[in-house]
Structure formats: structure tokens, C-alpha cells
Amino acid sequence: MAVGRESEWLDLLASLGQLNLSSDVPEAGEIDAILKTLVQGSMDIDNRQSVTGDHISWLQKLLEFLCGRYPPAPPTSDEAPPPSPDALTSLLKLMRNLCAGVPENQKLILASDVPTLSTHLVLRLASPLTPSHAHTAILKTTLQLLGNLCVQCGEGQRAVWRLCFPEVFRVVTGCGNTELADICCMILHTCTLGLQEHRAQLCSKGSGGDDIIAHVLSCLTTTDQSEWIPILLDSLLTSTSLRQLLECLESHPEAEGALLGYVTTALELPDNGNTEEGSVSGLKQRILSDENLLFLVDEFQRVSQLLLSEDAALLREAAGSTLKNPAVAVVTVAMATLRVLCSFTEREKCLLTVQGLSPLLEAALALLRQLAELDGSAASGKHRSRLRHVRPTGSEQLHPLFGTKRDLLQLVSSLCYRNTMTQNQVRELDAIPLILNQCSIDHHNPYITQWAVLAIRNLCEGNPANQALIASLEQKGVADTKALLEFGCEVEIDDHGKIKVKQKPK
């Protein structure tokens, strides 16, 4: 059945108001056919603009009827079968379409009980983990309807937020369906646009927003096809400090690690030269703030001290444990923080800000020394890792300590770059032999040799005292020393096969 003119479309819409919903069940197939035709006609803006309050009232009554006869579980043998989910899905699609580009329709639907009915329907169908296929179709359309009610409509933003935060958002993002979670992120993003109070509530510890953000971040590990999850996260990162976001997620260490990992990935994206809101360069510019940088420094020093306290008991426990051990969760956050710091210090402005911070260097070297003692490379240069599950097979995850010594060397190397005070501090802390002993291949720290050599290069550049110290040491594990030749040192192999680094003749 096709609708050729606006009058025909309105007549068909009016026919829904003539249904006697209090009597016997109307013919399900007939209702479904009418609704599908109306959905097709609702693609026409003129048809959408012709809708009145009476039409919305009829649609609300039909929604009440269909929701009341569509239970979330299959009926028992003595119950009447529920109406086809197609009819309910078509009705929700119709109301979703009516909101598009017609603010008056948004207001009419907001003034009705449709938003409340919709949120109740979502909670009924989404509460079981991994909703059924039929439920998923209904949920998807219901969420799209709620999203359309918010678009460029402050009244809609507030109404939907009031109905959905936090329970509906929490249930949908945690239901195990990433497609539904993605649509939910669209609603979250739309509801927080221009409304700082909503954004602050979402990012406040104990508000329920922590569960929502944690669920959203968990979806990142299961899909790379999401559209709205990164948009929501980018929006939060540009408007909220890392301190506030991580404090919000304090009871979700896996989510903290995931957020920091997302930040690291974002900083690795190529710049596009556009610093406007929503652009890659704009996002990176806002993340790379002094406030975020100094917070990361403080956080890294805090978690490093925690890991090294009591004879590094927590670090030792994590190093020999499986991924489910609570100690590993602490390490996950610490190492994710380290990796973000490494990304920050790749930028000259950020590097200059932290190069003079002695506690940061001390924390990095203390953690490197302890890890080297754990794997046996502190003195011998030979790595005997005690980590479990560091090399994944199949679906296994990497242990969070995987690559940590490499990242610590990267941070130390950056801090020493053309900074005499930091170069001297490394020598005074007796850390140069420690760094030299990392110049051998370690499968648990890919490219550690290259980072160790770069660290030695930066330690030697313009620093005769460090050059002299290195020249006096005999090392067995140096794998690549070409970079040293350019900075006042040269390498010789004696008759016994030992490698010596000494001052280069002037």
C-alpha cells in the first residue's frame, strides 16, 4: 500500500486512532502493514510537518497497547502470543522519523508519555545480558527515537537525561551489545552538548556515570566499528581533565587503563592542521595541556611509590601473577600512565615542562632498577623474565608489565635530551650501568636495545663526565653502539670478546 498524497498519509495515520484497543486484539498483520506504510511516508518532510497533537496521542495509545502485550520473555503455554515485534518496531521507527527536522513534533512527543514508555521498554528488554535478535531491533529503534528527541532541542536533552541517567544508560552500555552501546553513546553525547551540568554529572564519582564510562571503554576492546563511542570519549577528553576522569573511574582500574590507552592512541594520530572542536589536532591540543601533564607526572610518581613500597611486594606479586590478580590491576594503571607520559614527552613543549622534575626521573629509574632485579638484568644484562602470560597466544592478553622497561628507557632518554642537570642526576644515581645493561635483546621488551642506546646517546651528548664514566665500564651486552660514536665515545672489542666503550680521540 503506497501513500501518494499528504491527505492519504493523514487518513492512514487517522485510521490508527479508530482502533478499539480495549476490545479484542486487532489484527496484528493489519497494524503492521499500516505502520510500515506510514514509516515509508514519514520520509517526506511535508508529511512529517502535517502531524498534530491528536496524531501523537493516537500513536502513544498504540505504543501503550503494544508495549503492554510484548513481554520481554516468551509466553507460557496458557498465555496469548504477543504481537509481532515488527509492529512495535515500525511504530517506534515512525515516531523516530517524525522528530527529524520538525521541532514541533519533538515538542509534541516530549509532552506525551512516549519518552517514559520508551525508557521503561528499554529497561525491560535490555536488562538481560545480550538481548535477543527481536529485542535488539526494538531497542535499537527506541534508542534512536530518544536520540532524535534531543537533537538541537534543549528541552529534549533535559527530559531524556532525566529519564535515562544513570540507569538506562548503565543497562544499555553494559548489556553486551556494542551496536546498542554505540547508539547509547550518541544519546549521551547529544544530551551533554552545551550542557556542562550533564557532563559534570556523567564524570562525577559516585553518580553512576563511572559505570557508564567503564562500560563504554570496555566496548573498545570488542569492536573497531563504533561511530559514537570515540565521539563521546573525544568530547569528554576535550572538556574534562584527565584527573577528573580517572578519579571518576577509580573503582574501575581496567577502565582507567583503557582510557589512558585511548589517550595514547589519540596522541599518535597524525595532525590534520585543523584545531577546531572535533578535529584530531584540536583533540590533541586539548589533551596536551599542562594540567593533564602535571597530573600524569604526579600520578606516575604515586603509583611507582606504591609498587616499590614494602620491598616492591606489590610489583613482585604482579610480576608473577595471572591477569586476574588484583595487584595486576594496579600495575595496569601505572604502566598505562607511563605510556601516556612517553607520548607527552615526545613533544618539545611538554618535555621542557618536566625535564627539571627530579622526582619523576628518580621514580622512573627506581622502577627500572627494580624490574631489572626481577628479571636478572640489573647487573648481568641477561634477561630471565618472571612475568606470566607476557606473550599472548590466541585470545590471551599481554601482561601489563610487557614492554615496561622499554617505556621507562624511553622516558629517561627523553628527560636526558640536551639537559645537563638530568644527565648528571642519572650518573649521580648510579643508573648509567643499569641502562647499559639493558642493551641486549629482551623478548618481553621489544626494541629495548634501541631505546637503551638512544638513552646512552642522550646521556653522553655534551657531557664529558658521563662519557668518561661510560668509557671506564666494560659491558657484555651492548648490541648496537653506532649512535655512541657521534657523541664522543667509541666502541672496541678486545681479544676476549668483551665490548669497551671509551672516549673518542679528539
Side-chain angles (χ1 to χ4, degrees), residues 30-43:
E30 180 183 354
I31 294 179
D32 190 29
I34 293 173
L35 288 171
K36 286 183 177 179
T37 303
L38 288 170
V39 169
Q40 184 179 2
S42 67
M43 304 299 290

Side-chain angles (χ1 to χ4, degrees), residues 234 262 264-272 280-281 283-284 347:
D234 290 355
Y262 184 84
T264 301
T265 301
L267 293 177
E268 292 172 351
L269 295 173
D271 288 316
N272 56 12
V280 171
S281 297
L283 171 64
K284 293 167 70 172
R347 280 81 179 172

Side-chain angles (χ1 to χ4, degrees), residues 181-224:
D182 196 51
I183 300 172
C184 192
C185 286
M186 178 268 289
I187 302 174
L188 284 163
H189 175 68
T190 306
C191 280
T192 54
L193 276 178
L195 293 177
Q196 184 58 37
E197 62 269 28
H198 289 177
R199 194 166 295 176
Q201 196 174 3
L202 177 62
C203 300
S204 296
K205 185 179 178 181
S207 67
D210 56 334
D211 291 335
I212 297 168
I213 298 175
H215 289 160
V216 169
L217 287 164
S218 71
C219 292
L220 287 175
T221 63
T222 59
T223 180
D224 57 359

Side-chain angles (χ1 to χ4, degrees), residues 98-157:
L98 292 180
C99 295
V102 186
E104 186 59 34
N105 287 351
Q106 287 178 305
K107 295 177 182 178
L108 290 172
I109 294 177
L110 286 168
S112 72
D113 289 335
V114 168
T116 301
L117 290 168
S118 299
T119 53
H120 289 172
L121 181 62
V122 169
L123 288 175
R124 288 171 60 203
L125 301 187
S127 292
L129 289 178
T130 314
S132 68
H133 177 72
H135 291 173
T136 299
I138 294 172
L139 285 165
K140 178 180 176 180
T141 312
T142 308
L143 292 170
Q144 290 170 342
L145 165 61
L146 291 170
N148 278 5
L149 287 171
C150 303
V151 176
Q152 298 182 343
C153 179
E155 180 185 350
Q157 289 174 289

Side-chain angles (χ1 to χ4, degrees), residues 433-465:
L434 170 67
I435 294 172
L436 285 169
N437 275 323
Q438 307 311 310
C439 292
S440 59
I441 295 174
D442 178 0
H443 294 298
H444 304 134
N445 287 275
Y447 303 106
I448 190 173
T449 299
Q450 289 86 338
W451 281 112
V453 170
L454 183 60
I456 295 167
R457 163 199 185 278
N458 288 347
L459 281 165
C460 290
E461 183 178 13
N463 196 308

Side-chain angles (χ1 to χ4, degrees), residues 50-64:
S50 65
V51 171
T52 67
D54 286 339
H55 296 134
I56 299 300
S57 178
W58 299 334
L59 295 177
Q60 174 191 306
K61 291 178 181 178
L62 182 56
L63 179 62
E64 291 173 347

